[in-house]
Each structure stands twice: as structure tokens, then as C-alpha cells.
Amino acid sequence: ALIGIPLFMACLAVYAQHTANLIRWIMKKLGLTHGLEEQQTERMQQLITFAFCLTVIFTFSGYLTYMEEDWDYTDSVYFTFISFTTIGFGDLYPSSNSTDFHIIFICFLILGLISLGTVIEAQTTNFGNLLSTISSSCDCLCKNRCFGGNRAEVED
């Protein structure tokens, strides 16, 4: 577990990055980024990634609700979200003993982890851009007040 869990998380991060790159490539091939600025392209990628993540969650929730478990749809969405985010409270768990269900569950769980990792990767990029913007704004303000701008007028 000491080596396996970090290795698995590193692999998930790589898959999330590849998924984000795949979404960017699909957007370019479909012409969705034609004529858009970089910031608009990033926003669109985030929306598509978020929609992908929600689709995975709701698809899996629907499968759990209607095929295997006796849960209502709200419990199924809750269980799926808790599982995908690896919180795992343990208040709900699948009661099915079917091997097919467990294989499908593990595949959807990995796909959900990748999709959430992709959302986190997109938000990390967005947050980095925000910090760069704030940093450059503060740097500009500081330079104008401390080293430039009205310095000659202050000395007179």
C-alpha cells in the first residue's frame, strides 16, 4: 500500500492529463476553438470536461439505480459521487454479489477518478492563470507606487 497507492494516483494524474489533452484535440478537430481567445478556449474545455464528469456520474448512478441496487436515484448519485471522490463514508455500499457488477463498478470507478482528475487539472490550470494575473497586477501597482510613475513629482 505504501508504494501502490501513490503509484496508482500518479497513473491517474497522467490519465487525467491525457484526457484533458484529448478533449483539447477533439475541440480543435470539431472547430470549437476557431476564432476564440485562449481564455475562452480554456473555459470551453472546462465546461466540456465538467459535462463529461457529470455524464459519467449520472450514467453510473443510473446503472446502479435501475440494474443492480434497490436505491432511489438520489442515493445512487450520492454513492457515486462519494466513491469517485474517494471519500467513501461507508453508509451506502453495493449489495450485489455479481462478478460482472464488480468489474463494471471498478471500471466506472477508475473512469470517474480520471474524469474528476481531469476537472481538477483544468481547475489547477485556471487557478494558476488567476494567480499569474493577480501577481502581475500587484507587481505593476507596486512598481508604479514605489519605483516609478509619480516619483519625480514626490521629490519636488
Side-chain angles (χ1 to χ4, degrees):
L2 189 61
I3 296 172
I5 292 173
L7 184 61
F8 182 71
M9 295 308 284
C11 288
L12 282 178
V14 169
Y15 289 136
Q17 180 65 42
H18 285 301
T19 305
N21 290 339
L22 175 67
I23 290 171
R24 285 186 196 104
W25 181 79
I26 290 171
M27 286 173 50
K28 286 180 184 175
K29 287 296 181 185
L30 293 176
L32 297 175
T33 60
H34 184 69
L36 295 178
E37 294 177 9
E38 185 178 334
Q39 186 177 13
Q40 292 172 327
T41 303
E42 287 292 323
R43 291 269 187 221
M44 185 177 286
Q45 181 209 351
Q46 290 171 4
L47 288 174
I48 291 172
T49 304
F50 186 68
F52 172 72
C53 185
L54 285 179
T55 302
V56 169
I57 288 174
F58 289 129
T59 301
F60 187 62
S61 296
Y63 175 78
L64 280 175
T65 301
Y66 298 112
M67 297 297 186
E68 291 294 329
E69 299 299 326
D70 235 1
W71 300 339
D72 61 359
Y73 193 70
T74 309
D75 286 342
S76 185
V77 170
Y78 166 76
F79 171 76
T80 305
F81 181 76
I82 294 300
S83 297
F84 283 177
T85 56
T86 67
I87 296 171
F89 290 125
D91 52 347
L92 289 176
Y93 52 90
S95 60
S96 175
N97 291 328
S98 168
T99 305
D100 293 339
F101 173 76
H102 288 289
I103 290 171
I104 291 171
F105 177 75
I106 289 170
C107 290
F108 267 111
L109 191 62
I110 291 172
L111 182 62
L113 288 169
I114 291 170
S115 64
L116 282 177
T118 305
V119 168
I120 290 170
E121 188 271 333
Q123 292 305 319
T124 302
T125 302
N126 191 25
F127 188 68
N129 292 341
L130 176 67
L131 287 179
S132 295
T133 303
I134 291 172
S135 174
S136 65
S137 297
C138 290
D139 191 36
C140 181
L141 288 174
C142 183
K143 284 182 182 176
N144 284 339
R145 287 187 183 157
C146 300
F147 302 112
N150 299 331
R151 184 174 174 189
E153 293 174 8
V154 173
E155 289 177 0
D156 289 336

